[in-house]
Amino acid sequence: MTTETTEQTDPGGPTLTIDELAARAGVTVRTVRFYGTRGLLPPPALGPRRVGHYGPEHLARLALIDELQRQGMTLSAIERHLRRLPPDLSAQDLAIHRAVVASWAPDTVETVTREELSRLAGRELSDADVARLAALDVVTSEDGGYGVDAGLLRLGVELLDVPLSQDVVLAAREVLLEHSRAAAQELSRLLREAVSELAPKDVKSLTAHMHPLVVQALLTTFQRSLRQELRGWLSDPRENGENGEDGPGEQGEQDGGSGRS
């Protein structure tokens, strides 16, 4: 059985009781405890009165487990899958891993009631929440219900908690769509030219083999590029009011880390 740890969670991050974690993840407390005994969740930190506290990595891991189950994996298969992952993955790393898993799910739109929509979202949705999800094309109103892709809904619900205006989120969505379409078109052109002399069956086989490699390459390069952009933005002295002068050791850190992703 998994034992609890006395190590405290990050004081700067949110901490959740087991009831709050279960509610946020859309599962029962019994399920959280069961996953803990199976080793699917790391143990909580113990706070005052030995009350267990869970952090964002627990929530991210529950979301990943849910996504793997949606893909049809058994609990035993999920256990094996999680054991192969590095044990110190952050909540962000787990979210990216889940995004990769979700990207292989078929586009399946189902019509659900308002109550079912909240159940799939893992939380109660207000009228404003539903309106924002509709603006993001995550939810569409249909006769007597709502059309929704369950995999896309999870992402949309997480965007509801992002402290940015709807206009900014929509603008970011358009940027991603524009550049991902351009990349897809250019890659498609390159592949078509490369396989133009192959037999149709060989083209189909090569395409099936290249598809996951291309997705992995796109995700990895984009993640590293975004990390570099954010690092440069957050360390830009002009953004911190330092009159363009580097702080002690800052330039050396930038130069020394320029080759890291």
Side-chain angles (χ1 to χ4, degrees):
M1 177 180 292
T2 301
T3 57
E4 293 181 324
T5 175
T6 56
E7 180 181 352
Q8 297 296 313
T9 53
D10 179 6
T15 59
L16 305 169
T17 65
I18 191 170
D19 296 285
E20 293 169 335
L21 176 69
R24 287 278 298 273
V27 299
T28 65
V29 170
R30 183 179 179 182
T31 297
V32 174
R33 289 186 174 135
F34 174 69
Y35 287 165
T37 62
R38 295 286 294 262
L40 296 174
L41 286 178
L46 288 181
R49 300 181 182 178
R50 296 186 63 80
V51 175
H53 289 275
Y54 298 82
E57 69 281 357
H58 293 93
L59 190 60
R61 191 168 286 260
L62 284 172
L64 175 57
I65 293 171
D66 177 68
E67 189 61 53
L68 293 171
Q69 288 179 320
R70 290 178 185 275
Q71 300 296 324
M73 291 182 66
T74 65
L75 201 58
S76 296
I78 292 174
E79 287 184 60
R80 292 193 297 271
H81 181 84
L82 293 180
R83 279 200 297 266
R84 289 195 293 266
L85 298 179
D88 57 347
L89 286 181
S90 67
Q92 289 180 327
D93 293 328
L94 289 167
I96 291 172
H97 187 79
R98 177 169 58 83
V100 174
V101 173
S103 69
W104 298 105
D107 297 330
T108 53
V109 177
E110 56 181 317
T111 301
V112 299
T113 65
R114 179 63 176 270
E115 182 179 344
E116 290 170 331
L117 181 62
S118 293
R119 180 180 58 78
L120 288 173
R123 59 189 263 187
E124 195 64 34
L125 297 174
S126 66
D127 291 341
D129 291 336
V130 175
R132 188 169 187 180
L133 291 173
L136 293 170
D137 288 335
V138 173
V139 171
T140 58
S141 296
E142 298 183 0
D143 293 338
Y146 300 88
V148 59
D149 183 323
L152 192 58
L153 178 63
R154 177 77 70 173
L155 172 61
V157 170
E158 291 179 3
L159 286 173
L160 294 177
D161 297 325
V162 174
L164 295 173
S165 70
Q166 181 168 307
D167 289 342
V168 172
V169 173
L170 288 174
R173 175 177 177 272
E174 288 303 313
V175 169
L176 288 172
L177 286 175
E178 177 184 353
H179 289 281
S180 61
R181 285 170 180 161
Q185 290 171 355
E186 185 64 18
L187 286 170
S188 179
R189 182 186 65 79
L190 288 172
L191 289 175
R192 281 201 307 269
E193 292 177 354
V195 302
S196 60
E197 298 181 359
L198 296 180
K201 65 175 183 178
D202 294 328
V203 171
K204 186 175 181 179
S205 176
L206 180 60
T207 301
H209 180 71
M210 288 295 296
H211 188 185
L213 297 179
V214 170
V215 171
Q216 180 76 30
L218 283 172
L219 179 62
T220 301
T221 53
F222 178 76
Q223 182 184 3
R224 291 178 177 175
S225 297
L226 182 60
R227 186 183 297 128
Q228 290 172 352
E229 287 294 322
L230 291 177
R231 182 188 299 134
W233 166 41
L234 295 175
S235 64
D236 189 344
R238 291 172 298 180
E239 295 292 335
N240 298 323
E242 297 177 2
N243 299 321
E245 297 180 0
D246 294 323
E250 183 177 37
Q251 184 62 46
E253 178 182 348
Q254 288 178 346
D255 291 342
S258 60
R260 295 193 303 268
S261 57

